[in-house]
Amino acid sequence: MTPSAHHHARPCGLFRGVVGAGAPPKPAANWIQVELLRQLKDADKEITDSPVPPVELAALVAKVESGEINAATGKKVFARMFETSKPAAEIIAAEGFSQVSDTGEIERWCREVIEKNPDNLAKYRAGNEGVFKFFVGQVMRASRGQANPQAVNDTLKRLLS
């Protein structure tokens, strides 16, 4: 049996289970193809031996899609789910992974980043839209990736204008 045949037992049953549990098809497929198959390969397990049940993978995908956690955090949570077979919600709560959507907290990070970068603020106000991504990146770094990206965008647009 070739190594590739060994690792690619049919993911369709799993995919149907994840989508059936409420995950949108495109992100579900992505999580299965990228994260799950990679973890299974690293652990030398078949897809039928996945320690993450379809309904739990669906719950994780839903949390990423809704913005409760970001994709990078989702990957960390998935790795813990794979190791421990614990539900996503339990891991997120236990490890303090939830995304910060508190507008006061996000605004504080945004103001801090803007204050520290007067040169980029001047560039932005002079019409350099490209600098906006810099501000978003700095706020995400300040929040250790936990700020809700949409809230960061909205808050920065408001504060920078």
Side-chain angles (χ1 to χ4, degrees), residues 22-52:
K26 199 173 158 58
N30 200 19
W31 278 88
I32 291 167
Q33 286 168 345
V34 180
E35 297 304 313
L36 182 63
L37 291 179
R38 184 173 55 79
Q39 293 272 12
L40 287 167
K41 189 171 188 268
D42 292 349
D44 204 29
K45 286 185 164 155
E46 294 293 333
I47 199 149
T48 47
D49 303 327
S50 170
V52 179

Side-chain angles (χ1 to χ4, degrees), residues 3-153:
S4 60
H6 171 73
H7 286 297
H8 297 291
R10 305 305 310 145
C12 0
L14 180 74
F15 174 73
R16 276 197 295 275
V18 174
V19 173
K26 199 173 158 58
N30 200 19
W31 278 88
I32 291 167
Q33 286 168 345
V34 180
E35 297 304 313
L36 182 63
L37 291 179
R38 184 173 55 79
Q39 293 272 12
L40 287 167
K41 189 171 188 268
D42 292 349
D44 204 29
K45 286 185 164 155
E46 294 293 333
I47 199 149
T48 47
D49 303 327
S50 170
V52 179
V55 63
E56 281 309 322
L57 184 53
L60 176 64
V61 171
K63 287 178 184 311
V64 174
E65 290 300 299
S66 73
E68 186 182 324
I69 57 174
N70 63 32
T73 301
K75 289 176 182 175
K76 289 181 199 153
V77 171
F78 180 78
R80 301 281 298 130
M81 290 168 73
F82 195 91
E83 280 165 32
T84 64
S85 297
K86 286 183 177 159
E90 195 178 308
I91 292 167
I92 291 165
E95 317 239 348
F97 276 139
S98 12
Q99 182 156 283
V100 177
S101 295
D102 173 326
T103 49
E105 183 80 346
I106 288 172
E107 182 158 331
R108 197 174 55 74
W109 285 319
C110 290
R111 287 185 184 281
E112 216 169 83
V113 166
I114 291 167
E115 271 165 34
K116 284 182 186 157
N117 295 283
D119 299 358
N120 280 338
L121 175 60
K123 282 182 198 161
Y124 181 81
R125 290 197 170 145
N128 182 340
E129 288 287 319
V131 183
F132 189 75
K133 284 193 178 81
F134 164 82
F135 282 113
V136 172
Q138 291 300 303
V139 173
M140 292 311 287
R141 181 181 294 164
S143 74
R144 299 197 318 281
Q146 290 187 303
N148 176 320
Q150 190 55 57
V152 169
N153 278 332

